[in-house]
Amino acid sequence: MSIRVGVVGASVYSGAVAARLLCAHPHFTLAFATSDRLVGEPLDRHLGVPTPAPMAFEPNASAVALGDRADVVLLATSAKVSTELAPTFLEQGKHVVDLSGGFRLEKAGDYARWYGFEHPAISWLSKAHYGLPELYGAPARDGATLVANPGCYPTASLLAIAPLVRAGLVEPTGIVIDAKSGVTGAGRQATEEFSFGEVDEDLRAYKVLSHQHTPEIVRHLSRFADGVRLTFTAHLLPVRRGLMATCYARPRAGTTAAHVQQCLADAYAGRSFVDVVAPDRVSLARVTGTNHARVGATADGDVVIAIGAIDNLLKGAAGQAVQNLNLLFGLDETTGLSHLHRTAP
Amino acid sequence: MSIRVGVVGASVYSGAVAARLLCAHPHFTLAFATSDRLVGEPLDRHLGVPTPAPMAFEPNASAVALGDRADVVLLATSAKVSTELAPTFLEQGKHVVDLSGGFRLEKAGDYARWYGFEHPAISWLSKAHYGLPELYGAPARDGATLVANPGCYPTASLLAIAPLVRAGLVEPTGIVIDAKSGVTGAGRQATEEFSFGEVDEDLRAYKVLSHQHTPEIVRHLSRFADGVRLTFTAHLLPVRRGLMATCYARPRAGTTAAHVQQCLADAYAGRSFVDVVAPDRVSLARVTGTNHARVGATADGDVVIAIGAIDNLLKGAAGQAVQNLNLLFGLDETTGLSHLHRTAP
Amino acid sequence: MSIRVGVVGASVYSGAVAARLLCAHPHFTLAFATSDRLVGEPLDRHLGVPTPAPMAFEPNASAVALGDRADVVLLATSAKVSTELAPTFLEQGKHVVDLSGGFRLEKAGDYARWYGFEHPAISWLSKAHYGLPELYGAPARDGATLVANPGCYPTASLLAIAPLVRAGLVEPTGIVIDAKSGVTGAGRQATEEFSFGEVDEDLRAYKVLSHQHTPEIVRHLSRFADGVRLTFTAHLLPVRRGLMATCYARPRAGTTAAHVQQCLADAYAGRSFVDVVAPDRVSLARVTGTNHARVGATADGDVVIAIGAIDNLLKGAAGQAVQNLNLLFGLDETTGLSHLHRTAP
Amino acid sequence: MSIRVGVVGASVYSGAVAARLLCAHPHFTLAFATSDRLVGEPLDRHLGVPTPAPMAFEPNASAVALGDRADVVLLATSAKVSTELAPTFLEQGKHVVDLSGGFRLEKAGDYARWYGFEHPAISWLSKAHYGLPELYGAPARDGATLVANPGCYPTASLLAIAPLVRAGLVEPTGIVIDAKSGVTGAGRQATEEFSFGEVDEDLRAYKVLSHQHTPEIVRHLSRFADGVRLTFTAHLLPVRRGLMATCYARPRAGTTAAHVQQCLADAYAGRSFVDVVAPDRVSLARVTGTNHARVGATADGDVVIAIGAIDNLLKGAAGQAVQNLNLLFGLDETTGLSHLHRTAP
């Protein structure tokens, strides 16, 4: 089986990582890759991996015309662009995996509020499959399928806390998620704000009370409990890759440390990509370079703490996209991902 | 006026920074400095600043004998050692500023539980002045005074959240403090755990639910409200210096963002070392190198977020010690500290 | 004595550091500060230090008009802009300290070749004083004086190797300078190339065989020996501040390690800002945050190695500018610089 | 074909990386792994990769007894230990790949001088194959074979400069190699010197004129030219992985930039693991995570500059060891290494 996958936006970090994974995948073939910045440049040189045949970056504007070459299109574009492109490809009968937030929320109004644009394709919001396999399973392949690939912060947060909410071990209100991400989470940046001189040796919170991943986490926790209320804060870390979400919730009466640990162990028993460990063994260095998440939880009478860590570009973006593609086509979810190992020595 | 200050433990990070500040201080004189690791080595070479006269490090065991040369002794020793040394110096009539946690808690039993040793000088616990000047003012100088210099995490946390607790703007229960510290917060370390290869590009939580700064924060918030319950989590950041505490609390009815911002502004009006800014302008880079804290707060209907950042070795240790010494001797609190400016360019 | 100094370009790293030093200086007063990016913004907030009176950034275009308020103008502008502005201020009778390379080379043709523009004020090239005080002493104050403040790479390189060339201990040909600089050496950058994601964990050589500091080093070594030939290579380090030059030269017959060590010791005996140490004790951490250089040298039969390290923004730019200003006005060269101490704990 | 490989010292960085590569290799099987620090701990947990069957670390003292389980033993031990262990395994008829410097030099006397111990197995020095495949080809498999796996600095240096020496494009005397390595090059370190607080934001030269990789580089360059004289300087970089050698040599008459570029291109034509690029595109970020070296060279009338970069733990240690093992057993040299891709996004 060889499934052809095109990548729109293949020079942004997540798109480049996706293209690289596709080049090394035994069942997928990179059909095309677009990037306005690198039009005409050879792919292998920029990705640092061999391509099956010599390929060059195509202009973004040619993406729709290139759709014919692919069975699936992976969008590493801004939310606004994704909401415009995805329906076009879907109407061509292509499957779409969208790395942006363009189809992760439920209500059109949330886009105006959190993303600052009017959503042009609201009929697709309810049809999109939220691609967090450990919580939602495989996307159904029934005609052209739209997979909304989860955000990096929601992936780490939901993997850590959602099983505890689902099991009723914690109150659904008053949840606090204090999250920290490496710089590549913001994509390639040519701004002073993300220059080495401004990020190195620093830490700062950003978009306090206004981060667009907040409604995404709320929406998906709300599938497991009524009345979810939470606070989400993002911080910028001076590391290239890696993201950690430290989640706090109030325990329901009787919840103990043993309960929450067991709950996570049960939730991920048999899953390839989520490792349940003690909370102080959830670290960036143990996951960066891999498609694995690490999660761990503990509790005392006042609080449940659940910590999740991922590589923001892999399990938080391109790796999870490939995992979703594997599932969409009935492959083992680890196909083309099991050779990844952590970067830390 | 020239006040003679001895430093016990002058080669650990906080002790070395204190010795350096004392060398540059217009009214204090570094009387002696001990370090077993550097016995006999010249001070100026290791501190990188001139000393008034040629001085060498003395052995720690000679500290008590050296007490006669000083009016004040600054202890940059472990909590256990501090609890043994401080009473000796105090009985000699010396003032003591203790950088350790040896005299910050209220009850002897807390030391067994959180520090793992039996406190040998419990009568001093109630007499020690907790040296957080912006909340507790100047230490009274009445005979030999013992100043318990606050911990780095408590300093950042209390400066951010204590005024809001005091003003009744937040509930005293369910407070969450998610804190992140640079590596020097753990002192000089010759362990693999703190080696560059293990810390760089990583982030990890540590001592989850068991960090000894938890009871210190609880104790001091409890001066401002009854029934304080909080959760404190420490994370190790891949930076040398700087510490941030992101604090979450439930708002009392009617509390708004404007209220909490104004509360902090009022609390620190006229104070030299605490700058009140918007929460997303509280960053490590804006405080490291200085004795300043930055704090900022906001709120919505569900949560109050208050963020504090300091240089863990200055406002979180040696700088605050000098500030306390200034106040103890009736000097302007900024004396010998105002030349410090931030490291970031 | 209060000398009024204006800073053109006060929001670039070197200009900001200079403005901050001037604010803390006992004899200089910051007269004005320009920055197009920050027009109207309060200076104290951006510099992180108090200003004598409330001041805001002025537009760069107003610099010439503001000249009247100052006795000296410090230019933190590009080489091209400096060559245009400096003559104007000099003709107004103002002293000028130029941080750019605009007046450091000897021949107009060098500007076309190495800087890519035609020099508009070649008559000033021979009149400019090259402000490396440890080698060239104080600038003469005789009418309006132009100080060409040395480049960061030339400062570290010349301090390490020039005394050995001058003493005839090494051959003037075949000199190799392998230099490494932190990111702030390139100034504030809003480019992907200097983003954290591209610089962190990396090292790369740049402008190989074409760096514009090459002719500057050649010119000034050539004051001490005939026939200088050298190779200079710059590398970009993943650190904020700090620059090291590792210099290699062929020993003249009879030159020993003891000779070169003694030569450096003699060259800087009595100098405040150059510390002579063993070569493996020349490190960034021991100089960043200060106006000090560290230099060290050794030799065997084949090679002389001389290593120099500085903080690129202080001894390599703004600190040396203040040192030059001190000397221009007959002050002790350490005035307003001696409170600086190293950033490393 | 399944070849059984044992790893002695599998918890040091290079040994752990080797063990991980062996676990993922299609034709090698990890037969045993020793580590005193982790005796009894499960391998998969520490390596972050699956092992074929559950395995635990064995004590180092059991290495010889375990030899029977393996066809090849890979030594990630100190040079002194390797010189004791290797002959034992060889006499058992096992092939040995030694990651230490124990068999890289020619003369017994060099060990006393550069490594500080008397070599106990000097008869093996001349029999050892120096495993730099791009220069020396495959090791011959004829009875028990000893492969001296090259040092990290020699690998990067020789790949960059040896072809130019071999081709007579540069003089063999007066070569300067200025090298910079990430921290893992020094192995796991539990010392203050290698703590994050001391390495971060720093750069320092070490073992100036006395680094034990100097005679290794001299020896192997001397296979290509008579009269080699060189200077080698190592610097410690604040990065985890990656090593760069910037090499300077005097051009023979007539040597041009085009000559040296073509020479490298010819030398590595058809080789999988050495990429020839422009010198300013030789960077750590483009090789870390892979077994690739990047090399580039240029020249002017005075100098030839050749730069090489590798991942010190892969092409500089464990990756090259696996490459040598592949060649020893007649496999394609990229087997089990081609899935590696760079860490940088």
Side-chain angles (χ1 to χ4, degrees):
Chain A
M1 175 171 58
S2 184
I3 297 146
R4 304 166 303 158
V5 187
V7 177
V8 182
S11 68
V12 300
Y13 288 136
S14 59
V17 172
R20 196 186 277 159
L21 291 173
L22 292 167
C23 287
H25 197 283
H27 297 302
F28 300 141
T29 305
L30 183 60
F32 64 83
T34 77
S35 162
D36 283 350
R37 193 170 63 91
L38 299 174
V39 172
E41 298 281 325
L43 268 168
D44 53 359
R45 177 171 156 194
H46 283 275
L47 299 178
V49 292
T51 46
M55 289 179 72
F57 289 96
E58 309 276 355
N60 289 333
S62 68
V64 173
L66 292 163
D68 275 352
R69 298 195 202 160
D71 305 302
V72 187
V73 178
L74 193 150
L75 300 176
T77 42
S78 70
K80 189 161 191 304
V81 170
S82 282
T83 58
E84 291 158 1
L85 280 180
T88 307
F89 288 115
L90 289 160
E91 283 154 23
Q92 289 179 358
K94 309 300 176 189
H95 307 290
V96 171
V97 178
D98 178 26
L99 295 185
S100 87
F103 297 93
R104 296 181 198 148
L105 303 185
E106 196 171 8
K107 287 168 276 186
D110 284 342
Y111 283 90
R113 173 173 173 201
W114 296 94
Y115 283 85
F117 66 88
E118 291 299 317
H119 199 290
I122 56 174
S123 68
W124 279 101
L125 291 178
S126 58
K127 286 182 257 178
H129 171 85
Y130 190 69
L132 191 50
E134 289 81 6
L135 293 177
Y136 294 118
R141 181 155 52 107
D142 177 20
T145 304
L146 171 58
V147 177
N149 209 59
C152 47
Y153 285 121
T155 295
S157 302
L158 291 169
L159 288 175
I161 194 78
L164 309 179
V165 170
R166 186 173 56 189
L169 291 169
V170 299
E171 297 291 340
T173 60
I175 295 170
V176 167
I177 300 174
D178 189 283
K180 305 92 179 169
S181 174
V183 173
T184 55
R188 279 191 204 278
Q189 294 280 349
T191 62
E192 186 189 320
E193 183 186 0
F194 285 91
S195 68
F196 187 87
E198 299 297 308
V199 172
D200 182 46
E201 300 289 304
D202 196 14
L203 177 76
R204 53 182 191 256
Y206 63 99
K207 296 188 187 174
V208 177
L209 292 180
S210 64
H211 196 289
Q212 73 279 5
H213 284 172
T214 310
E216 183 179 336
I217 303 171
V218 171
R219 177 192 181 183
H220 293 286
L221 276 188
S222 296
R223 296 209 192 176
F224 303 120
D226 289 333
V228 169
R229 305 287 292 182
L230 67 80
T231 300
F232 170 79
T233 309
H235 299 77
L236 184 68
L237 279 179
V239 306
R240 281 198 302 203
R241 288 168 82 149
L243 182 157
M244 180 179 288
T246 311
C247 309
Y248 302 87
R250 281 177 298 139
R252 282 266 171 79
T255 295
T256 66
H259 291 147
V260 296
Q261 289 157 4
Q262 190 60 46
C263 175
L264 291 183
D266 292 346
Y268 301 116
R271 298 301 318 203
S272 299
F273 287 128
V274 183
D275 304 319
V276 181
V277 297
D280 60 1
R281 291 184 62 84
V282 180
S283 74
L284 301 193
R286 291 192 179 92
V287 295
T288 44
T290 81
N291 196 50
H292 284 247
R294 278 203 168 203
V295 297
T298 191
D300 64 11
D302 285 329
V303 75
V304 169
I305 301 180
I307 310 183
I310 57 171
D311 184 320
N312 53 294
L313 292 178
L314 288 165
K315 185 62 177 166
Q320 186 144 270
V322 170
Q323 186 184 357
N324 278 313
L325 280 174
N326 286 334
L327 292 166
L328 183 67
F329 288 97
L331 301 169
D332 184 283
E333 69 181 343
T334 67
T335 312
L337 295 168
S338 56
H339 67 285
L340 297 170
H341 59 79
R342 67 169 181 251
T343 305
Chain B
M1 176 170 57
S2 184
I3 298 146
R4 302 166 303 157
V5 187
V7 177
V8 182
S11 69
V12 300
Y13 288 135
S14 59
V17 172
R20 196 185 277 157
L21 290 174
L22 292 167
C23 287
H25 197 284
H27 297 302
F28 300 142
T29 305
L30 183 61
F32 66 83
T34 77
S35 161
D36 282 351
R37 194 170 63 91
L38 299 173
V39 172
E41 296 281 325
L43 270 168
D44 53 359
R45 177 171 155 192
H46 281 276
L47 299 179
V49 293
T51 46
M55 289 178 73
F57 288 97
E58 309 277 355
N60 289 332
S62 68
V64 173
L66 292 163
D68 275 351
R69 298 195 200 159
D71 304 302
V72 186
V73 178
L74 192 149
L75 299 176
T77 42
S78 70
K80 189 161 190 308
V81 170
S82 283
T83 58
E84 292 157 1
L85 280 180
T88 307
F89 289 114
L90 289 160
E91 283 154 23
Q92 289 179 359
K94 308 301 177 189
H95 305 290
V96 170
V97 178
D98 179 24
L99 294 185
S100 86
F103 296 94
R104 295 179 198 150
L105 304 185
E106 195 170 8
K107 286 168 278 185
D110 282 344
Y111 282 91
R113 174 173 173 201
W114 295 94
Y115 283 85
F117 67 87
E118 290 300 316
H119 200 290
I122 57 175
S123 68
W124 278 101
L125 291 179
S126 58
K127 285 183 258 178
H129 172 84
Y130 190 70
L132 192 48
E134 290 80 7
L135 293 177
Y136 294 119
R141 181 154 53 107
D142 176 18
T145 303
L146 171 59
V147 176
N149 208 59
C152 49
Y153 284 121
T155 296
S157 302
L158 291 169
L159 289 175
I161 194 79
L164 308 179
V165 170
R166 187 173 56 191
L169 291 170
V170 299
E171 298 291 339
T173 60
I175 295 171
V176 167
I177 300 175
D178 189 282
K180 304 94 178 169
S181 174
V183 173
T184 55
R188 279 191 203 278
Q189 294 281 348
T191 62
E192 185 188 320
E193 184 186 2
F194 285 92
S195 68
F196 186 88
E198 299 298 308
V199 172
D200 182 45
E201 299 289 305
D202 196 14
L203 178 76
R204 53 183 190 255
Y206 63 99
K207 296 189 187 174
V208 177
L209 291 180
S210 64
H211 196 289
Q212 73 279 5
H213 284 172
T214 310
E216 183 178 337
I217 303 172
V218 171
R219 178 192 181 184
H220 293 286
L221 276 188
S222 297
R223 297 209 191 174
F224 303 121
D226 290 334
V228 169
R229 305 287 293 183
L230 67 81
T231 300
F232 169 80
T233 309
H235 299 76
L236 183 68
L237 279 180
V239 306
R240 283 198 301 203
R241 289 168 83 150
L243 182 158
M244 180 179 289
T246 311
C247 309
Y248 302 88
R250 282 177 298 137
R252 282 266 171 77
T255 296
T256 65
H259 290 147
V260 295
Q261 290 156 4
Q262 191 59 46
C263 175
L264 290 183
D266 292 346
Y268 301 115
R271 299 302 315 203
S272 299
F273 286 129
V274 183
D275 303 319
V276 182
V277 299
D280 60 2
R281 292 184 63 83
V282 179
S283 74
L284 302 193
R286 291 193 178 91
V287 295
T288 45
T290 81
N291 196 51
H292 283 247
R294 279 204 166 202
V295 297
T298 189
D300 64 11
D302 286 328
V303 76
V304 169
I305 300 179
I307 310 182
I310 57 171
D311 184 321
N312 53 294
L313 292 178
L314 289 165
K315 185 62 177 167
Q320 186 144 269
V322 171
Q323 186 184 356
N324 279 311
L325 280 173
N326 286 333
L327 292 166
L328 183 68
F329 289 96
L331 301 169
D332 185 283
E333 68 181 346
T334 67
T335 313
L337 295 168
S338 55
H339 67 285
L340 298 169
H341 58 78
R342 68 169 181 251
T343 304
Chain C
M1 176 169 60
S2 184
I3 297 144
R4 301 167 304 157
V5 186
V7 177
V8 181
S11 69
V12 301
Y13 288 137
S14 58
V17 171
R20 196 186 279 159
L21 291 173
L22 293 167
C23 286
H25 197 284
H27 297 301
F28 301 143
T29 303
L30 183 61
F32 64 83
T34 78
S35 162
D36 283 350
R37 192 170 63 91
L38 298 175
V39 172
E41 297 281 324
L43 269 168
D44 52 359
R45 178 173 154 190
H46 282 275
L47 300 178
V49 293
T51 46
M55 290 179 71
F57 289 96
E58 310 276 354
N60 289 333
S62 68
V64 173
L66 292 163
D68 275 350
R69 298 196 202 160
D71 304 302
V72 186
V73 179
L74 192 151
L75 300 177
T77 41
S78 71
K80 188 160 191 305
V81 169
S82 283
T83 58
E84 291 158 1
L85 279 181
T88 307
F89 288 115
L90 290 159
E91 284 155 21
Q92 288 179 1
K94 308 300 176 190
H95 306 292
V96 171
V97 178
D98 179 24
L99 294 186
S100 87
F103 296 93
R104 296 179 197 150
L105 304 184
E106 197 170 8
K107 287 168 278 188
D110 283 343
Y111 283 90
R113 174 172 172 203
W114 295 94
Y115 283 85
F117 66 88
E118 291 299 317
H119 200 290
I122 56 176
S123 68
W124 278 101
L125 291 179
S126 57
K127 286 183 257 178
H129 170 85
Y130 190 68
L132 192 50
E134 289 81 7
L135 293 177
Y136 295 119
R141 181 152 55 105
D142 177 18
T145 305
L146 172 59
V147 176
N149 208 60
C152 49
Y153 285 121
T155 295
S157 302
L158 291 169
L159 289 175
I161 194 79
L164 309 178
V165 170
R166 186 173 57 190
L169 291 170
V170 299
E171 298 290 342
T173 60
I175 295 170
V176 168
I177 300 174
D178 189 281
K180 304 92 178 167
S181 174
V183 172
T184 55
R188 279 191 205 278
Q189 294 279 348
T191 62
E192 186 188 320
E193 184 186 1
F194 285 92
S195 68
F196 186 89
E198 299 297 309
V199 172
D200 182 46
E201 300 289 304
D202 196 14
L203 178 77
R204 52 182 190 255
Y206 62 98
K207 295 187 185 175
V208 177
L209 292 180
S210 65
H211 196 289
Q212 73 279 6
H213 284 173
T214 310
E216 183 179 335
I217 302 172
V218 171
R219 178 194 181 184
H220 292 285
L221 277 188
S222 297
R223 297 209 192 175
F224 303 120
D226 290 335
V228 169
R229 305 286 292 181
L230 67 81
T231 300
F232 169 80
T233 309
H235 299 77
L236 183 68
L237 279 180
V239 306
R240 282 198 301 202
R241 290 167 81 149
L243 182 157
M244 181 180 288
T246 310
C247 308
Y248 303 87
R250 281 177 298 137
R252 283 265 170 76
T255 296
T256 66
H259 290 147
V260 295
Q261 289 157 4
Q262 191 61 45
C263 175
L264 290 183
D266 292 347
Y268 301 116
R271 298 300 316 202
S272 299
F273 287 129
V274 183
D275 303 319
V276 182
V277 298
D280 61 0
R281 291 184 62 84
V282 180
S283 73
L284 301 193
R286 290 192 179 91
V287 295
T288 43
T290 81
N291 196 51
H292 285 247
R294 279 204 165 201
V295 298
T298 189
D300 64 12
D302 286 329
V303 76
V304 169
I305 301 180
I307 309 182
I310 57 170
D311 183 321
N312 53 293
L313 292 179
L314 288 165
K315 185 62 177 167
Q320 187 145 268
V322 170
Q323 185 184 358
N324 278 313
L325 280 174
N326 285 333
L327 292 166
L328 183 67
F329 289 96
L331 300 170
D332 184 283
E333 69 181 345
T334 67
T335 313
L337 295 169
S338 56
H339 67 284
L340 297 170
H341 59 78
R342 68 171 180 249
T343 304
Chain D
M1 176 170 59
S2 184
I3 297 145
R4 302 167 303 158
V5 187
V7 177
V8 182
S11 69
V12 301
Y13 288 136
S14 58
V17 172
R20 196 185 276 160
L21 291 174
L22 292 167
C23 287
H25 197 283
H27 298 301
F28 300 142
T29 304
L30 183 61
F32 65 83
T34 77
S35 162
D36 284 350
R37 193 170 63 93
L38 298 174
V39 172
E41 297 281 324
L43 269 167
D44 54 359
R45 178 173 153 191
H46 281 276
L47 299 178
V49 293
T51 47
M55 291 179 70
F57 288 97
E58 309 276 354
N60 289 334
S62 68
V64 173
L66 292 164
D68 275 351
R69 298 193 202 161
D71 304 302
V72 186
V73 178
L74 192 150
L75 300 177
T77 41
S78 70
K80 189 160 190 306
V81 170
S82 283
T83 58
E84 292 157 1
L85 280 181
T88 308
F89 288 115
L90 290 160
E91 285 154 22
Q92 289 179 1
K94 309 300 177 189
H95 306 290
V96 171
V97 178
D98 179 24
L99 295 186
S100 86
F103 296 93
R104 296 179 198 150
L105 304 185
E106 197 169 8
K107 288 168 278 187
D110 283 343
Y111 282 90
R113 173 172 173 204
W114 294 94
Y115 282 86
F117 67 88
E118 291 299 316
H119 200 290
I122 57 175
S123 68
W124 278 101
L125 291 179
S126 58
K127 287 183 258 180
H129 170 84
Y130 190 69
L132 192 49
E134 289 80 7
L135 294 177
Y136 293 120
R141 180 153 54 105
D142 177 18
T145 305
L146 171 58
V147 177
N149 208 59
C152 48
Y153 285 121
T155 295
S157 302
L158 291 168
L159 289 175
I161 193 80
L164 309 179
V165 170
R166 186 172 57 189
L169 291 171
V170 299
E171 298 290 341
T173 60
I175 294 171
V176 167
I177 300 175
D178 189 282
K180 304 93 178 168
S181 175
V183 172
T184 56
R188 278 191 205 279
Q189 295 280 349
T191 62
E192 186 188 319
E193 183 185 1
F194 285 92
S195 68
F196 186 88
E198 299 297 309
V199 172
D200 183 47
E201 300 289 304
D202 196 15
L203 178 77
R204 52 181 191 255
Y206 63 98
K207 296 187 185 175
V208 177
L209 291 180
S210 65
H211 196 288
Q212 73 279 6
H213 284 173
T214 310
E216 183 178 336
I217 303 172
V218 171
R219 177 193 182 184
H220 293 286
L221 276 188
S222 298
R223 296 209 192 175
F224 303 120
D226 290 334
V228 169
R229 305 286 293 181
L230 68 81
T231 300
F232 170 80
T233 309
H235 299 76
L236 183 68
L237 278 179
V239 307
R240 281 198 303 202
R241 290 168 82 150
L243 182 157
M244 180 179 288
T246 311
C247 309
Y248 303 87
R250 281 175 298 138
R252 284 265 170 76
T255 295
T256 66
H259 290 146
V260 295
Q261 289 157 4
Q262 190 61 45
C263 175
L264 291 183
D266 292 346
Y268 300 116
R271 299 298 319 201
S272 298
F273 287 129
V274 183
D275 304 318
V276 182
V277 298
D280 60 1
R281 291 184 62 84
V282 179
S283 73
L284 301 194
R286 290 193 180 91
V287 295
T288 45
T290 82
N291 196 51
H292 284 247
R294 279 204 166 202
V295 298
T298 190
D300 64 11
D302 286 328
V303 76
V304 169
I305 301 179
I307 309 183
I310 57 170
D311 184 319
N312 53 294
L313 292 179
L314 289 165
K315 185 63 178 167
Q320 186 144 270
V322 170
Q323 186 184 356
N324 279 312
L325 281 174
N326 286 334
L327 292 166
L328 183 67
F329 289 97
L331 300 170
D332 184 282
E333 68 181 345
T334 67
T335 312
L337 296 168
S338 56
H339 66 284
L340 297 169
H341 60 79
R342 69 170 178 249
T343 304

